[in-house]
């Protein structure tokens, strides 16, 4: 019995690593910010229902990751044989079962967050499954991916008592970023086109301007004079946070896009896609600061280095 234990440990670690690869664990750090950005956009503070919505969002996201590899298992057997399913480290049936269970768990958590949250989570789950099982390889694929991210932000708004309609514009901003990344990713294996990186670069510039611009909530003018209320130290600090988060977003995404536009090789295109995924956290944080929740934005931004650390650990283990 004692002779088996040393072998059991590495085998168990190998299974955990395989599932971490299947579920793309580092990318999961980009998920909570969707819900928190939606909460801030709706003008409310995070509550227990926000946590339930974040759990629902994470479950649905990971369901999509498992379903993605199950749907692509035959293609991956040729193009990416190292992936968990074609390499035999995870059984296809187990991946499909995980996708179903995670989807059910996500909808259950959304139901616990309230009827409005469930009303958003249902279409979100449907979009995830439709994308992986049919839309991914069609012209509608990038739009479906963008819709999923936008719905994820609206899920955060719907979980609280705030007005969901206030989160529609931020959801569109997040969807635009996701659409840009998705369009670039379509050429990441063969490269050869500067159009998508240039389009994404223009979108990144526009979003950076939005993040660094005026907040969505403006201070009321002075009641006696009608003049604009002077900026307080807190206002100045918020502006500084917005500017820093906007700069972080641009620095993360714009430079790799410029490189991919100048030299659209598969390697540089893949780097641009990876940068776009990481920049999602900076965008979410900037949207929170823009909506008047700079503290939550800064805390969310701290997830970026954690995601990078986990990505390096998974890739080198």
């Amino acid at each position: 019995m004692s002779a088996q234990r040393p072998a059991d440990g590495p085998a168990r670690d190998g299974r955990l690593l395989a599932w971490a690869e299947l579920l793309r664990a580092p990318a999961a750090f980009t998920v909570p910010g969707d819900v928190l950005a939606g909460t801030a956009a709706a003008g409310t503070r995070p509550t227990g229902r926000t946590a339930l919505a974040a759990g629902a969002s994470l479950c649905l996201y990971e369901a999509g990751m498992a379903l993605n590899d199950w749907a692509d298992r035959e293609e991956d057997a040729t193009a990416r044989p190292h992936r968990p399913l074609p390499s035999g480290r995870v059984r296809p049936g187990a991946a499909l079962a995980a996708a179903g269970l995670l989807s059910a768990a996500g909808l259950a958590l959304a139901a616990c967050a309230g009827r409005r949250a469930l009303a958003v989570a249902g279409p979100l789950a449907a979009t995830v499954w439709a994308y992986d099982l049919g839309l991914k390889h069609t012209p509608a694929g990038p739009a479906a991916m963008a819709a999923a991210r936008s719905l994820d932000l609206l899920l955060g708004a719907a979980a609280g008592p705030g007005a969901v309609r206030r989160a529609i514009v931020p959801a569109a901003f997040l969807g635009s970023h996701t659409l840009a990344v998705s369009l670039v990713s379509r050429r990441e294996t063969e490269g050869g086109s500067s159009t998508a990186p240039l389009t994404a670069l223009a979108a990144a510039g526009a979003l950076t301007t939005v993040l660094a611009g005026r907040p969505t909530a403006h201070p009321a003018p002075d009641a006696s004079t009608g003049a604009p209320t002077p900026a307080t130290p807190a206002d100045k600090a918020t502006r500084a946070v917005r500017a820093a988060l906007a700069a972080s977003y641009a620095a993360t995404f714009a430079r790799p896009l410029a490189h991919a536009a100048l030299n659209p090789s598969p390697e540089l295109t893949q780097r641009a896609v990876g940068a776009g995924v990481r920049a999602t956290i900076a965008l979410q944080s900037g949207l929170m600061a823009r909506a008047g929740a700079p503290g939550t934005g800064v805390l969310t931004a701290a997830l970026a280095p954690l995601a990078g650390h986990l990505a390096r650990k998974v890739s080198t283990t």
Side-chain angles (χ1 to χ4, degrees):
M1 183 71 76
S2 60
Q4 270 188 321
R5 288 179 183 169
D8 289 344
R12 182 173 60 253
D13 292 344
R15 288 192 296 271
L16 290 175
L17 177 60
W19 278 97
E21 290 181 29
L22 176 74
L23 299 176
R24 293 166 177 80
F29 285 91
T30 70
V31 178
D34 290 347
V35 169
L36 291 172
T39 301
T44 58
R45 294 188 176 186
T47 64
R49 289 191 174 188
T50 306
L52 289 169
S57 171
L58 186 59
C59 286
L60 294 175
Y61 182 86
E62 295 295 16
M65 295 297 101
L67 187 63
N68 174 80
D69 276 27
W70 180 84
D72 287 350
R73 62 193 184 282
E74 295 182 1
E75 176 185 335
D76 287 347
T78 301
R80 293 171 286 271
H82 62 281
R83 291 293 300 162
L85 266 61
S87 67
R89 290 177 293 148
V90 175
R91 291 181 296 105
L96 181 59
L101 289 172
L102 285 166
S103 295
L107 292 173
L109 287 170
C112 292
R115 291 182 179 179
R116 295 202 311 172
L118 182 59
V120 177
L124 173 57
T127 302
V128 168
W129 279 75
Y131 172 81
D132 283 328
L133 296 183
L135 297 179
K136 183 186 340 183
H137 300 298
T138 71
M145 181 70 78
R149 274 289 184 180
S150 296
L151 286 168
D152 209 26
L153 188 147
L154 293 176
L155 176 60
V164 176
R165 65 179 181 275
R166 294 179 58 181
I168 292 176
V169 171
F173 290 150
L174 182 60
S176 298
H177 169 78
T178 305
L179 178 63
V181 176
S182 300
L183 289 173
V184 176
S185 71
R186 294 215 142 188
R187 299 300 298 267
E188 65 179 336
T189 56
E190 68 270 15
S193 175
S194 297
T195 303
L198 284 173
T199 302
L201 188 60
L207 287 172
T208 299
T209 301
V210 167
L211 295 180
R214 292 184 177 182
T216 53
H218 305 294
D222 185 273
S224 59
T225 65
T229 303
T232 66
D235 294 331
K236 294 178 181 179
T238 299
R239 291 176 186 172
V241 169
R242 285 205 319 272
L245 292 174
S248 174
Y249 172 73
T252 303
F253 198 22
R255 185 175 180 181
L257 282 173
H259 288 167
L262 292 172
N263 178 17
S265 64
E267 180 182 1
L268 291 180
T269 303
Q270 289 167 16
R271 288 183 184 178
V273 172
V277 173
R278 294 191 300 274
T280 302
I281 296 176
L283 176 57
Q284 295 162 341
S285 302
L287 290 174
M288 293 175 209
R290 182 175 180 270
T296 308
V298 170
L299 291 175
T300 301
L303 294 175
L306 295 176
H309 174 74
L310 182 57
R312 290 189 297 271
K313 187 173 182 179
V314 170
S315 64
T316 58
T317 301

